[in-house]
Amino acid sequence: RLNTNRFPNSRASFNALLNPASLAEGRPSPEDINAWSQRLTNVPGRPDPENGRRIFHHSSVALCARCHRHSGRGNIVGPDLSAVSARNDRRWLLESILQPNREIAPEYLPRAVTLNDGTVATGIRLRSWTREQLRDANGHTLTFDTKDVASIQELTTSFMPAGLVHSLTDRELRDLIAFLELPQ
């Protein structure tokens, strides 16, 4: 048994490390923004934006920087979140994290391109004219001649994974939001 008395603020992180399923236990549904907001407000201590910055850019925690940029760091698959604080809307920010498919800007709607040979590529459309050009979920640019394209289908799901909160403790989620709310 791990003794977490020495670092009580890390207890949830230790528990999540040893039992990842614990992050889904007893939490509100992603649709209950008010309950989530209250839950994050009830986390002891002050929010730590610097910890939120580490979470945002960490390669295996929240994976935010895999698709998003902030302050010049990260990838360019999804929107640049450097100025998201200007919106000054914590509820919207929390809702966007909890329900990534609820509101997707048209320029970030993924498309499935089916080629004549049956190959399917999915990505965000960059250009379309004599060639179809997509950016896939890994940030790679894919280019196809339009003569090779059998069909293009707009998808209704975001590249951002649903259930992201099941990889974060309440403290980590609160700190991530605190980081995103910092004015740039």
Side-chain angles (χ1 to χ4, degrees), residues 106-173:
E107 63 270 26
Y108 295 105
L109 264 176
R111 289 163 172 83
V113 174
T114 303
L115 302 178
N116 293 329
D117 68 2
T119 304
V120 177
T122 304
I124 307 299
R125 181 182 267 167
L126 299 176
R127 288 180 198 58
S128 179
W129 185 252
T130 57
R131 293 183 174 194
E132 280 295 321
Q133 195 171 60
L134 304 174
R135 180 169 293 123
D136 71 10
N138 296 314
H140 300 121
T141 300
L142 310 172
T143 305
F144 310 101
D145 286 329
T146 52
K147 65 178 177 50
D148 297 329
V149 175
S151 67
I152 300 174
Q153 177 187 5
E154 273 196 7
L155 304 177
T156 58
T157 56
S158 172
F159 272 159
M160 185 169 160
L164 173 69
V165 294
H166 299 309
S167 67
L168 301 172
T169 65
D170 293 346
R171 179 178 305 280
E172 289 169 333
L173 180 58

Side-chain angles (χ1 to χ4, degrees), residues 1-8 10-19:
R1 178 102 177 122
L2 187 62
N3 181 352
T4 59
N5 292 333
R6 202 165 144 207
F7 301 100
S10 299
R11 187 172 288 129
S13 296
F14 286 130
N15 190 38
L17 184 62
L18 298 174
N19 179 15

